Amino acid sequence: RMSHEIRTPLLGICGFLELLQATPLSSVQQDYVSSMGTATTLLRSIVNDTLDHAKLRAGKMQVCREATRLADLLLECKAMFRAQLESKGLAMDHHIDPEVSGPVLLDPLRVRQMLNNLLSNAIKFTEAGKIQVTVLPTELKGKPGILVEVRDTGVGVPVDKQAALFEPFCQADESISRHHGGTGLGLPIVKEFAAVMGGDVGCCAEPGQGSTFWFS
């Protein structure tokens, strides 16, 4: 119940912002609304992560699989971060292996949230260059699955700090996290969602050389 009480007003704010964007606005007003949209997107992500973390700890997370086209899901995610990408001058490309280009059985809500968490981090810690999303076929416990990689050209992560990133409230560099914000729950949520769906997570990165985070 508490989940609905927190999420419903926030979704209402997001909805009214979308309606406001569709009305005649001056360039200054458009900038204000765009900034508000970015802020509410971040807030919604933090609220979702916090509530889902509590639900996972209580063992009440349910997976609802349905046939989903990954290309559509990726386009939705890209649209969500368009303002942030444009404000930093970053490009975002994606590639989906032909083997998984058709409808795939997965939980679209959870996979979207996992991808959004990785994209949010990639954009947050990248000042120039691009974000590349790649979706490949893989095998999970003898069954067909997908592997999603998000590669950036950002600050990178020291090897000895990578494993800790997937632990709740842990961040590689506290000074950077204070500058960029965040709860330290994004990557742990990705890890726990992946585990619930029979998959895994990982990271390949070097300081100053960008990062690749993935989940299956």
Side-chain angles (χ1 to χ4, degrees):
R1 183 178 176 183
M2 180 62 71
S3 172
H4 291 293
E5 290 178 351
I6 294 176
R7 282 187 170 118
T8 300
L10 184 55
L11 290 174
I13 294 171
C14 294
F16 278 113
L17 276 175
E18 291 178 3
L19 292 173
L20 184 58
Q21 285 180 314
T23 64
L25 298 171
S26 69
S27 59
V28 174
Q29 290 171 325
Q30 288 175 347
D31 288 340
Y32 289 163
V33 172
S34 178
S35 296
M36 290 168 66
T38 300
T40 53
T41 296
L42 176 59
L43 179 58
R44 183 169 59 181
S45 176
I46 292 172
V47 168
N48 285 340
D49 285 347
T50 303
L51 293 174
D52 286 334
H53 179 69
K55 190 179 292 185
L56 284 161
R57 289 304 182 197
K60 295 183 178 181
M61 180 61 66
Q62 295 181 336
V63 177
C64 300
R65 293 181 174 86
E66 59 184 75
T68 305
R69 291 183 61 86
L70 289 161
D72 295 337
L73 192 149
L74 283 170
L75 289 175
E76 290 174 10
C77 293
K78 185 174 182 179
M80 181 176 175
F81 290 104
R82 181 175 293 117
Q84 291 165 263
L85 289 164
E86 291 178 352
S87 69
K88 301 186 77 170
L90 300 175
M92 177 179 158
D93 297 325
H94 71 265
H95 169 74
I96 301 175
D97 187 280
E99 191 173 328
V100 288
S101 61
V104 177
L105 195 62
L106 49 78
D107 185 329
L109 178 63
R110 304 305 173 199
V111 172
R112 183 186 295 108
Q113 191 171 344
M114 295 163 77
L115 183 53
N116 281 342
N117 281 347
L118 295 192
L119 287 174
S120 177
N121 280 352
I123 296 169
K124 186 187 302 182
F125 296 110
T126 302
E127 297 303 324
K130 65 184 290 187
I131 313 295
Q132 174 71 43
V133 182
T134 304
V135 184
L136 302 168
T138 190
E139 188 174 285
L140 300 175
K141 298 178 180 178
K143 297 181 180 180
I146 60 169
L147 176 70
V148 179
E149 297 180 341
V150 176
R151 181 177 303 171
D152 64 56
T153 54
V155 297
V157 184
V159 175
D160 62 339
K161 301 272 183 79
Q162 291 174 15
L165 290 175
F166 294 98
E167 297 302 319
F169 310 111
C170 291
Q171 295 175 321
D173 188 322
E174 290 298 331
S175 64
I176 293 177
S177 66
R178 281 194 296 270
H179 174 71
H180 292 282
T183 60
L185 285 176
L187 291 177
I189 288 289
V190 174
K191 178 182 179 180
E192 294 188 52
F193 279 178
V196 168
M197 293 185 281
D200 202 355
V201 296
C203 170
C204 179
E206 292 183 20
Q209 302 298 315
S211 306
T212 299
F213 285 85
W214 59 266
F215 65 84
S216 60

